[in-house]
Structures are given as structure tokens and as C-alpha cells.
Amino acid sequence: MTDAEDRKPQSDEARMAFTPPAGVEVGDSESETTSEFALPKGLDVPQPPPQEQERSAFSTPRGYGAEDTLPGFTPPGGIPQVSLTKDVPWQDRMRTMLRMPVAERPAPERMPKAEEEGPAVPRVLDLTLRIGELLLAGGEGAEDVEAAMFAVCRSYGLDRCEPSVTFTLLSISYQPSLVDDPVSAARTVRRRGTDYTRLAAVYQLVDDLSDAETHISLEEAYRRLAEIRRNRHPYPTWVLTAASGLLAGAASVLVGGGLLVFVAAAVGAMLGDRLAWLAAGRGLPEFYQFTVAAMPPAAVGVALTLSHADVKASAVITGGLFALLPGRALVAGVQDGLTGFYITASARLLEVMYFFVGIVTGVLVVLYFGVNLGAKLNPDAALHTAERPYLQIAASMLLSLTFAVLLQQERTTVLAVTLNGGVAWVVYGAMRYAGELSPVASTAVAAGLVGLFGQLMARYRFASALPYTTAAIGPLLPGSATYFGLLSIAQNEVDAGLVSLATAASLALAIAIGVNLGSEISRLFLRISSPEKRRSAKRTRGF
């Protein structure tokens, strides 16, 4: 190539876009191709902060241990800081936090110490579900079950958990932070039983887990839970059968019966109890167990009437009904409805309705055959109940005592619930007979005092309120109104029978609402010390 050809300008295709023009000197620093996004020389590059190691939802939770939890913070929205008195039982503290939105609960972020090691999240959730299952199967209200589940999770450092309780399903979800995957677990409650001794032991376990000074490992909690499950009933079967008979006899005295009526009602109730145990052993549903248990007391009353014995047969049948009416399930169902758990409340009330229909079926079958055989059963006997205050007070206390034995309560609580039942009947008798007030109003006030005293005694011992209230409402159950309504229907007086059954339903609702109202009034005497307690309660008032 000649020099002329070298000086000839090259075409655009032959020259690169980033090639410097002819005559421009290029330094050594520009010997390599650079981009317009390159950082200028001499400018320091800021180093990004070290990223936190990615955590799994199954890893050890932050802030393990309720005793190490920092004070709560005030959310950005201006919600006042929650201040919960440590002397208040864990039920009230956990209920106050459960009624708050998740974003407003005091759950501070903190880094765990090097030596802190906590249990894995799935094991904590499994323990929580097992404890909730025992409480729900024992008849505890849905809100109290959620409060217990939240207390267990919080004691192991799981602050961002959300328990949910329905009639047969328990579920709980835990999310470590806003960016971590949540962990959820569920458990189905298939078997239910009445054992308030076991219920009290579960409450004691939750109380120990919630105590900042008591350090219980997960293995120790599982061991205690296994002991609670294997716990034998405090009363043998023959004691339960005898208690069922004494309960029916005491109830017959309340409605005007004498010694012979007491014995007849006791025999009928014990026969019904044995038949119910036999049906349960054959695997029959509870509906048929209630049906067969209601037949012997009614049959004994009809037999006494046919034999022309000078006894009050209606008192015999009424006493047998007292031992069968599902007052415990009714109170729990109304309580769930008043606290906002409408699905659980509907299921409980539907269960009560099935039990009641089973009782009605068993009694109606016997009464129908008795009327056709010529038994002279008089519905007007309900208007002539003898007033024997001292004997009726003693009968009401015996009824509460035997009811507590049937519920498998601890022996230390039997005396308190017996006195509570006696006070309830004194208040009812003073308002109903001395004051001549409506039976519904008298029942509601007496049940309110039962709920108030029961809740205060339960909070004093940091235990469940059920052992102090369920047996005490036994003397107030509407056994007479139920029986005379069924008798009127059996005698083809449907209108009068429906009126009497409506009265029985009104009395039952008065008992349930009165017990719940008394429990809520008891909170006026408890020091919760939180401005959030009224604000969070708006959820149950429809706001």
C-alpha cells in the first residue's frame, strides 16, 4: 500500500464508532473500551451493608422466651401503648391482645443472643394445638381456648401467631416477619368428654408456661401434657351412677317431692345412667344415649301413677330430667355467640338442640304409652309447688354437689361450687316466691350471681371458671317446664305444650346470658390497666 493510499480517508463502515479521530492522542488510561455508566476515577464506591442470612419459617424464633420480651412499642398510627398488669391472670392479658389487630400487638424485633436457642416452630405449634384440643374438648369457650393457645405460643417467643377455633377444628398460623413464609398447622377435635380435673391441670400448665419466673422446656411441657392425658378420673363409675341418682332425687325435692319421690327419682336416674353407659359402650351416638337415659325416670313415674300410689309422679319425672338437660353446652354456646364466635356458637346450640330432641323423644314415647294405659298425669300440678325453703336450699346444695361429681371436678372445688349453688337458689327463691317476680327474671339474676362469683373464684386461683359455674346452675335448670310441656303434647294439648316448652327455652337462655353477664361484670373488679381493653372489645359489639 502506497503513502497516498494511507492518507486516503476511510469509509464509515471501515472505522469503529468508538475509534478516536485522527490526530487525537489517547493516553494509557483509555487504552481499554469504557462505558458511559462507568464510575469516574477517584470516586469511592460505597459498600452495601451485609445482608442478613435468609431465615426459614422453621428456624428458631427471635426473642425466644416470654421473660426476655422487650416492652411494647407504639405503632405508627398513633395507637396508645398497651400496658398490661403482670398480676392479672394470663387469660385476661391474652384476651386483651387477641382482640387487637395483629399489626398493633406489641411484638418487638430483637436479635437473639449467641447462647439463646429455642425450640423449632412446628413443635411449638403442635404443643399449642394439643393444649387447645384438650380445652375445647372439655367444654371451654372458644375465646378462652384462643387465649390459652396464644399464651403458649407467646411463652416460646412466637409473637406473630394467629389462633383460630371452631367447634371441631383448631388451626394456628405463625409468620416470623413480613417477608418470611408463614407456618400453619391444624388439628381436629373428634372426641369430647367432661373431666374438669383434666381441664384444671391444663390451665395450670398454661399458667406455668406464661409465668416469666418458671422456665419450662418444650420436652417438659410435652411430658406434663402426656401425664394429663393419661390422668385417671377422680371418681369411679359407681360413684358417678350414685351421684346421678342423688342429683335426680334432690331435683325432685326442689319441685315438691317427698322421701318416696326422692327414692323413686334416684332409682330411675340410676337405671337411665346405666342404659346410657351401655349405649355408649356399643358405640351409639350421644343422641340415642340421651334418648334411652330419659326413658327409665319417665317409666318409673308412669308406673307409680298406674299403681295409684300417693306420690307426686310429676316430681319423679322432673327429677330425672334435671340430670340430662345439657346446661353446660348451652352456657358455652351462648357465651361463644356473645363474644363473636358465631360459627362455634351455632354448632354448640345445634348440639344442644339434638340432645334436647333426644330427651323429648325418650320421654314422649314413655308418656304416650302411659297415657294410653290410663295413667292420670296432671299438667296442672306445676301450679302447686310446695314452698319449703330450708329443705329446698339443702336439696339445691346436694344437687350442685352431685353435679360437680358428675363433671369430674377436683375435690378442692366441690365445696365452693356447692355453696355457689345454694346461694343461687336462695336468690331465685327470694325473688320468685317472696318477691313474686317473673321466673325468667329471677333465673337470670341468680345465674348472674353464679357467673360473678364463679369468675372471681376462678381468677383468684388462676383457673377455669367452668368448675365454679356449671354445677352451680344445676338447681336453676328448667326441668319442670320441660316435663309439663312434653306431657301436654302427649295428651294432645299441643298449644299448651309449646307454650311450656317456650318457657323452658326462655329459662335456659336466661341462665346462659346471666352466667355470661356475671362473668363480664367480674372484670370490673380485675386490674387489667389497659386503655385498649374497651377499644378492642368493639369487635364483639358490631363495630
Side-chain angles (χ1 to χ4, degrees), residues 339-505:
T339 53
F341 294 85
Y342 302 114
I343 297 178
T344 308
S346 302
R348 288 187 189 273
L349 294 178
L350 184 62
E351 180 188 41
V352 171
M353 187 191 72
Y354 272 107
F355 290 164
F356 189 76
V357 170
I359 297 172
V360 167
T361 303
V363 175
L364 274 181
V365 169
V366 177
L367 291 181
Y368 178 78
F369 283 104
V371 170
N372 289 335
L373 291 175
K376 302 298 182 180
L377 299 171
N378 184 15
D380 295 333
L383 303 177
H384 305 286
T385 300
E387 297 181 16
R388 300 168 295 177
Y390 296 107
L391 184 60
Q392 288 177 331
I393 292 174
S396 66
M397 297 179 67
L398 177 61
L399 193 153
S400 299
L401 172 65
T402 52
F403 204 169
V405 173
L406 289 176
L407 294 175
Q408 301 282 359
Q409 291 189 197
E410 292 180 303
R411 293 179 174 87
T412 56
T413 64
V414 171
L415 178 60
V417 74
T418 301
L419 296 177
N420 201 8
V423 171
W425 182 260
V426 169
V427 174
Y428 172 80
M431 297 182 63
R432 177 71 183 95
Y433 301 117
E436 297 182 354
L437 297 178
S438 167
V440 176
S442 304
T443 301
V445 174
L449 289 178
V450 168
L452 174 61
F453 294 155
Q455 196 69 233
L456 291 178
M457 286 187 288
R459 290 300 185 266
Y460 175 75
R461 300 189 58 180
F462 283 35
S464 172
L466 288 180
Y468 298 97
T469 57
T470 305
I473 65 174
L476 304 176
L477 292 175
S480 298
T482 303
Y483 162 67
F484 287 109
L486 298 179
L487 179 58
S488 298
I489 294 176
Q491 294 178 343
N492 293 325
E493 299 177 2
V494 180
D495 293 338
L498 292 179
V499 170
S500 185
L501 290 180
T503 303

Side-chain angles (χ1 to χ4, degrees), residues 12 15-20:
D12 294 338
R15 184 164 53 87
M16 292 179 60
F18 295 97
T19 303

Side-chain angles (χ1 to χ4, degrees), residues 188-248:
T188 302
V189 179
R190 302 188 184 277
R191 296 185 61 185
R192 300 176 184 274
T194 304
D195 188 349
Y196 282 179
T197 301
R198 178 179 298 175
L199 188 69
V202 176
Y203 259 78
Q204 184 61 46
L205 175 59
V206 178
D207 186 31
D208 293 340
L209 289 174
S210 304
D211 190 1
E213 299 179 357
T214 305
H215 301 277
I216 299 179
S217 64
L218 194 65
E219 288 72 19
E220 176 68 15
Y222 267 109
R223 185 190 64 79
R224 290 181 56 177
L225 190 63
E227 291 180 355
I228 293 173
R229 286 181 174 275
R230 293 193 300 265
N231 182 33
R232 299 185 61 182
H233 299 307
Y235 307 104
T237 304
W238 67 269
V239 174
L240 299 180
T241 302
S244 178
L246 292 176
L247 189 154

Side-chain angles (χ1 to χ4, degrees), residues 25-89:
E25 296 181 0
V26 180
D28 294 337
S29 62
E30 298 291 341
S31 59
E32 296 181 0
T33 303
T34 59
S35 170
E36 62 270 22
F37 297 103
L39 198 67
K41 184 179 181 181
L43 184 63
D44 294 333
V45 180
Q47 297 295 328
Q51 295 183 355
E52 182 183 0
Q53 185 179 2
E54 184 178 357
R55 301 176 68 252
S56 171
F58 296 91
S59 60
T60 300
R62 294 190 184 95
Y64 168 59
E67 64 276 2
D68 299 326
T69 304
L70 297 177
F73 61 88
T74 302
I79 303 300
Q81 179 178 349
V82 178
S83 176
L84 297 176
T85 305
K86 293 184 179 180
D87 296 335
V88 174

Side-chain angles (χ1 to χ4, degrees), residues 303-321:
L304 290 175
T305 303
L306 293 175
S307 63
H308 302 287
D310 188 14
V311 295
K312 198 172 184 179
S314 60
V316 176
I317 302 175
T318 300
L321 291 179

